Amino acid sequence: MGTAERREAPEEGAAAQVRTRSGAGAPGPGAAASGRGAAREGRDGAAVRETRGSTGEYGGFSGKGSYRPLWVEEPARRRRLPDPVRTAAVRAVLIIAVTLIQAMVAFLCTLAGSWLAFPMVISSVVSTILATWGALDVWVTRQVWNQRNGVVSAPSSTARALRRERRRARRQQRAAQRTQARIRRRGGAGQLSHP
């Protein structure tokens, strides 16, 4: 069994080739079974196998108009944060960043003996309080969103009641649409006409 290593061929641009180190120069059993590999002899006499996928060559243009995309989308490992929670998190990060900058400036002004040290210390204390509030705001917003919209299997969850109300409203809307469609199909028969 040969080991495969990927390398770039300078004479073919960005075309990636797979070089097999089997002694006979024949493609490995995987290539024969799949029928996707074509073996040819490289410049130095070793067997070079070009691997082709369902859309064409892996290493660039195959001459048939197919191409390899720049990236392949992968599913996210974690779900996206809800919009209110993300907004609160961005706000908290900005406040914390400003607080850290203010604390650093206050420290440097204190070391330099500048008159700006006292106002910066006061403002960094206020910013620390705001940063604590921002971090708590993220946590509270997340808890509230989970309580209202999340799947929480707790009796105190309002998500179940809200879902029930939405379902009832959708049901009433569908019934009204069916009634309107029935009236339109009849051509307005049975309705009183206005003089």
Side-chain angles (χ1 to χ4, degrees), residues 17 48 52 63 85 91 110 123 125 159:
Q17 299 172 342
V48 175
R52 290 183 176 84
V85 181
R91 188 187 313 125
T110 305
S123 68
V125 168

Side-chain angles (χ1 to χ4, degrees), residues 17-41:
Q17 299 172 342
V18 178
R19 174 177 295 234
T20 57
R21 290 190 197 156
S22 57
S34 66
R36 291 188 192 177
R40 66 178 177 85
E41 191 168 311

Side-chain angles (χ1 to χ4, degrees), residues 20-132:
T20 57
R21 290 190 197 156
S22 57
S34 66
R36 291 188 192 177
R40 66 178 177 85
E41 191 168 311
R43 282 189 302 173
D44 54 354
V48 175
R49 184 169 58 90
E50 293 178 357
T51 313
R52 290 183 176 84
S54 58
T55 59
E57 278 190 19
Y58 280 127
F61 292 102
S62 63
K64 299 175 186 170
S66 61
Y67 66 94
R68 178 182 176 198
L70 290 176
W71 62 81
V72 178
E73 299 252 350
E74 293 180 3
R77 294 174 192 230
R78 291 174 54 179
R79 282 182 306 160
R80 175 180 158 135
L81 282 175
D83 287 338
V85 181
R86 187 181 312 110
T87 304
V90 168
R91 188 187 313 125
V93 165
L94 290 175
I95 292 173
I96 290 170
V98 169
T99 302
L100 289 174
I101 291 171
Q102 282 182 333
M104 185 183 65
V105 170
F107 176 71
L108 293 175
C109 286
T110 305
L111 287 181
S114 171
W115 64 271
L116 200 57
F118 182 70
M120 289 306 294
V121 167
I122 297 298
S123 68
S124 62
V125 168
V126 172
S127 291
T128 304
I129 295 168
L130 284 177
T132 308

Side-chain angles (χ1 to χ4, degrees), residues 115-181:
W115 64 271
L116 200 57
F118 182 70
M120 289 306 294
V121 167
I122 297 298
S123 68
S124 62
V125 168
V126 172
S127 291
T128 304
I129 295 168
L130 284 177
T132 308
W133 170 83
L136 283 174
D137 183 44
V138 174
W139 182 72
V140 169
T141 307
R142 184 170 163 268
Q143 295 296 326
V144 167
W145 194 91
N146 281 338
Q147 183 77 8
R148 288 185 181 164
N149 304 307
V151 183
V152 184
S153 58
S156 62
S157 173
T158 57
R160 198 172 291 114
L162 285 172
R163 242 183 261 126
R164 200 177 298 129
E165 289 173 13
R166 285 191 211 115
R167 223 177 289 131
R168 189 180 305 126
R170 278 197 303 265
R171 212 176 294 131
Q172 289 173 352
Q173 187 179 5
R174 280 196 301 262
Q177 287 174 350
R178 278 196 299 267
T179 306
Q180 290 296 325

